[in-house]
């Protein structure tokens, strides 16, 4: 694990703005935090070079794209057959409805975020794709009712 990067208040303010809108130009960021455009750009580049900013994401509204159901699955791998973690991860990552795959410590081995058009579509994905994956033992499902995103501890 690489070292922690020292951030000052201007760096934190820049990160808060970029969390809200990753597409903000350096000129707008600089104006909001009291820096010139070149100074803001240099700070952003330094944060990228240090690995603090790893990329930018496009956030899609899944409901508007026809995916009205999100389900979190807890997956416990079975002990019979001793499937490798890499084999399971490779297979589950190939399922387009699976949005995230998290290897976790606790009751389950993996936590999956699955998007589906509706509950019938989710059931199809669960039965035909997820339950047939190598090594799958127990599965626990939680349907997401609502979601609030928090900016984090910046």
């Amino acid at each position: 694990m690489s070292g922690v990067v020292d951030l000052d208040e201007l760096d934190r303010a820049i990160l808060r703005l970029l969390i809200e809108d990753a597409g903000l130009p350096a000129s707008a960021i600089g104006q909001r935090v009291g820096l010139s455009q070149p100074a803001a750009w240099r700070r952003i580049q330094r944060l990228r070079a240090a690995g603090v900013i790893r990329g930018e994401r496009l956030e899609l509204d899944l409901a508007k794209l026809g995916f009205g159901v999100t389900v979190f699955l807890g997956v416990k791998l079975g002990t019979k057959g001793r499937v490798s973690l890499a084999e399971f991860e490779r297979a589950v990552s190939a399922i387009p409805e699976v949005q995230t795959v998290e290897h976790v410590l606790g009751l389950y081995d993996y936590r999956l975020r699955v998007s589906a058009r509706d509950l019938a579509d989710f059931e199809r994905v669960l039965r035909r794709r997820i339950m047939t994956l190598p090594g799958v033992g127990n599965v626990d499902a939680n349907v997401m009712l609502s979601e609030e995103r928090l900016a984090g501890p910046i």
Side-chain angles (χ1 to χ4, degrees):
M1 186 164 115
S2 62
V4 175
V5 176
D6 286 329
L7 302 176
D8 63 18
E9 282 306 311
L10 282 175
D11 292 329
R12 287 185 182 85
I14 289 169
L15 290 173
R16 281 191 291 272
L17 289 170
L18 288 172
I19 287 169
E20 288 179 27
D21 182 357
L24 274 177
S27 57
I29 291 171
Q31 186 176 29
R32 292 185 190 176
V33 300
L35 292 174
S36 67
Q37 182 274 338
W41 183 87
R42 281 192 300 275
R43 280 184 177 258
I44 294 167
Q45 294 310 309
R46 183 177 52 77
L47 292 167
R48 285 184 196 281
V52 173
I53 299 173
R54 295 188 313 193
E56 296 176 25
R57 288 188 198 203
L58 179 64
E59 187 174 330
L60 300 175
D61 185 326
L62 293 177
K64 289 183 180 177
L65 293 171
F67 295 93
V69 173
T70 298
V71 180
F72 295 99
L73 291 179
V75 177
K76 180 77 173 168
L77 297 182
T79 55
K80 295 179 182 173
R82 302 270 173 157
V83 67
S84 75
L85 299 178
E87 186 179 350
F88 173 80
E89 289 170 8
R90 193 170 32 258
V92 75
S93 296
I95 300 172
E97 292 86 357
V98 175
Q99 300 296 299
T100 60
V101 178
E102 300 169 333
H103 188 206
V104 296
L105 180 63
L107 185 59
Y108 296 99
D109 297 310
Y110 287 91
R111 181 173 176 262
L112 311 178
R113 181 181 179 131
V114 180
S115 295
R117 297 196 179 284
D118 52 32
L119 285 175
D121 186 38
F122 168 71
E123 182 181 10
R124 178 192 59 79
V125 171
L126 179 65
R127 287 179 182 233
R128 294 186 185 167
R129 294 189 165 176
I130 294 170
M131 294 305 293
T132 62
L133 291 172
V136 169
N138 296 332
V139 175
D140 182 50
N142 291 286
V143 176
M144 182 175 68
L145 300 177
S146 65
E147 180 178 39
E148 290 296 322
R149 293 205 178 234
L150 304 175
I154 300 298

